[in-house]
Amino acid sequence: MSPYNHLTLKDRECILLGVTLNNTYQVIAEKIGCSKATVSREIKRNGGRKAYSAVKAQENYQGRRLKSRRPRLLTDLKLRDFVLH
């Protein structure tokens, strides 16, 4: 099993709370159980300390996750019909 875990919406809400309370990355990381580098990258990637939003960060994550997947080969209906025929 992989030692890496994706952040959940609950984790992102904890990050937002920590940012709002002006906690350090280390304090936030200890609360959610990840490294401070993960917290730092998450905040930097999603607007910084002043503009961080847990909901927007989750939407961004889901969008990036979908884009990183390999495209299905037979989504083109003409190609699919040709192959099946």
Side-chain angles (χ1 to χ4, degrees):
M1 182 160 181
S2 174
Y4 302 108
N5 295 316
H6 293 263
L7 295 174
T8 63
L9 182 57
K10 184 178 177 184
D11 294 336
R12 289 184 170 93
E13 288 172 348
C14 288
I15 292 173
L16 177 60
L17 180 63
V19 167
T20 304
L21 296 175
N22 207 20
N23 290 339
T24 63
Y25 294 146
Q26 183 66 41
V27 171
I28 298 169
E30 288 171 358
K31 272 190 165 183
I32 62 174
C34 67
S35 80
K36 64 183 180 181
T38 300
V39 174
S40 172
R41 283 191 303 267
E42 174 69 14
I43 292 171
K44 187 176 181 180
R45 173 184 300 137
N46 292 296
R49 281 190 170 265
K50 295 186 188 264
Y52 185 80
S53 165
V55 174
K56 188 67 176 161
Q58 183 71 18
E59 289 173 0
N60 291 343
Y61 158 74
Q62 289 172 337
R64 286 189 302 268
R65 183 107 167 116
L66 285 176
K67 275 202 243 180
S68 71
R69 293 184 180 163
R70 188 172 149 201
R72 297 186 73 116
L73 294 176
L74 298 179
T75 55
D76 180 12
L77 295 178
K78 288 183 181 179
L79 177 62
R80 181 180 178 277
D81 290 340
F82 176 76
V83 170
L84 289 175
H85 214 281

